[in-house]
Amino acid sequence: VDVDFTKKVKEYLQDEKRRLTRAQLETLAIIAYKQPISVAEIEEIRGSFSRSYVSQLVKMGLVAPKGKSE
């Protein structure tokens, strides 16, 4: 796991008003464990649509896109 993002996640969750949904947390855990990983691979693991959750995590600053796979 990228140390910078570990710190960001910890800081994000310190604020009691900020919570992650179960789906967001599950998506974040998959990204942390399998990185680098594509949205399609995340959806395959979760067995459900995950693009919106990945988008939300990017907007929150908890993950960052690394480009496109070949």
Side-chain angles (χ1 to χ4, degrees):
V1 176
D2 187 325
V3 176
D4 292 336
F5 285 108
T6 302
K7 184 177 177 183
K8 284 184 182 186
V9 170
K10 284 181 182 179
E11 288 173 0
Y12 185 88
L13 295 175
Q14 290 294 322
D15 184 344
E16 292 189 22
K17 295 177 186 173
R18 294 179 174 171
R19 295 284 180 213
L20 295 175
T21 66
R22 182 181 176 128
Q24 290 170 327
L25 191 56
E26 188 176 285
T27 303
L28 183 60
I30 292 168
I31 293 168
Y33 186 73
K34 295 281 200 171
Q35 67 179 315
I37 188 169
S38 69
V39 174
E41 292 170 311
I42 295 168
E43 290 175 342
E44 186 176 320
I45 293 167
R46 288 194 69 237
S48 64
F49 187 74
S50 300
R51 292 178 196 282
S52 63
Y53 301 121
V54 172
S55 240
Q56 292 165 8
L57 293 170
V58 169
K59 286 179 186 175
M60 291 175 195
L62 300 179
V63 298
K66 291 287 185 179
K68 306 229 181 226
S69 61
E70 294 181 20

